[in-house]
Amino acid sequence: MIELRSDTFTQPTPAMLAAMTSAPLGDDGYGEDPTVNRLEALAAQRLGKEAACLMPSGTMANLACLLAHAPRGSSAVVGAESDIYLYEAAGASVCGGVGYQPVGNRPDGTLDLDDLAAAYPDEPADPQFAVPAVVCLENTQNRCGGVLVPLAHHAAVAAWARERGVSVHLDGARIFNAAVGLGVTVSEVAADADSVQFCLSKGLSAPIGSMVAGSAGVITRVRRVRKMLGGNMRQAGVIAAAGIVALDEMVDRLAEDHANARRLADGIAAVPGLALEAPPQTNIVLFTVTDPRYTWSTLISAAQAHGVALYPFGHGRIRAATHSGVGPADIDRALEILAKVMA
Ligand SMILES: *Cc1c(COP(=O)(O)O)cnc(C)c1O
C-alpha cells in the first residue's frame, strides 16, 4: 500500500528505535526523566521560547494551551477550517467551559480579519458578551491544503490580540514544514505566539508526542492542565528519545516531502478526470474528481483496491499527504495507479 492518507502514518526510524532502548529514564511526574528534560530544553531553544512541555498528542497540547489561556465563560477565536475547531471534539468547551468563536479562513489559510474584528464584542464590559481570551493560528493550515500562512498575518493577528489583552496560540502541528517552506527558522514562525504546539508524530516521524512551548508562566499552567487531563506520564523518556532524534535528524528532509508533493500534484494535474485544487506549498495535495463515473468516495475506494490510500477531506476534496514513508518511486507508482483507475 502506498500510504498517502496522512503524515501520521510515518514509522519511527532505526535511529529513533535505538535511542528509545538506550535512553536514561526517570519519573517525569517528579521532573526527573533526564531524556524528557533534554527534549523539553531542546524544543524550547528551537522555538525560541523560555520553556517547553512534552504532551502525549497534539489534541491534548492544543487543549492544554486553550485552558491555560482561557477562563471558564470566555471564548477562543478559531478558524472555521482549523483543526482545533473541527477535529478536536470541542475539548475546550467540554473540559473548560470555553466557547468557540469561529471566524472564516481565507483560501490562503489566513483568518478573515473582518470576521476577526466582528468577533470581539463592541462593549466587552457588557455582561451579555463572552470575552475572547485566546485567538488561534494554524501554520501550516491543513484544511486549506497545507498552505504557508505568511508571517505578516501572524503579526497582524497578534497586534489585534495584544491591543485587547487576548493571548495568541499557534497550532503548529506542522510548524517545521512551515519553516522549511517559508525558508525561515522555526523560532521566527513561533515568534508572535504566546504558546505553540507542534507534533513530533507527523512529518518528523516520531511514533508519539507533541510539544508545547511558551513562556515559563504559560508552561507552568500547561503542566497543571496536562496533569488534570491525565497526560502526566512517568518514564516518558522512551517517547522523548525519539523526539530528540526527530528534531536533530528529521527537519531538513521535510523539503523532500514538499518536492514529492509537487511531483504528485504535477502528475495528478495531467490525469484526465482529476482536478488539482492548487499547486501544493508543502506536503499536502488536495484534488477533486471531475469524471462523472466517480464520486470522491468511490474514487478513494477504487484507488485503495489498487494500492493507493487517500483521505476524504471535506468539501468533496481528496487529500494526499507525503512523508518519510513515500519516495519519488512510490509517487510515480501512485500516479500510474491513478491513471489506470481513471482510464
Ligand atoms: C494532527 C493535528 C493536530 C492534532 O494532533 P494529534 O497528535 O493527532 O492529536 C492538531 N492540529 C493540526 C493542524 C493537526 O494536523
Side-chain angles (χ1 to χ4, degrees), residues 105-186:
N105 279 106
R106 298 201 203 88
D108 67 357
T110 59
L111 297 176
D112 185 313
L113 294 177
D114 294 331
D115 268 17
L116 180 63
Y120 194 75
D122 294 333
E123 296 185 57
D126 182 335
Q128 293 187 105
F129 299 113
V131 177
V134 59
V135 56
C136 301
L137 294 164
E138 184 179 314
N139 205 354
T140 62
Q141 215 295 349
N142 181 27
R143 287 258 298 189
C144 294
V147 291
L148 297 161
V149 176
L151 298 187
H153 180 70
H154 287 199
V157 170
W160 176 91
R162 306 262 178 274
E163 238 171 67
R164 293 161 179 82
V166 172
S167 299
V168 178
H169 172 65
L170 172 59
D171 180 357
R174 297 184 180 82
I175 196 174
F176 287 91
N177 296 86
V180 167
L182 290 166
V184 300
T185 63
V186 77

Side-chain angles (χ1 to χ4, degrees), residues 8 56-60 62 83-84 88 138 140 142 171 173-174 197 199 201-202 209-210:
T8 53
S57 71
T59 301
M60 193 188 287
N62 282 330
D83 198 279
I84 291 177
E88 299 186 7
E138 184 179 314
T140 62
N142 181 27
D171 180 357
R174 297 184 180 82
Q197 89 84 13
C199 293
S201 60
K202 290 190 171 151
S210 272

Side-chain angles (χ1 to χ4, degrees), residues 196-210:
V196 188
Q197 89 84 13
F198 71 85
C199 293
L200 296 164
S201 60
K202 290 190 171 151
L204 298 186
S205 307
I208 302 168
S210 272

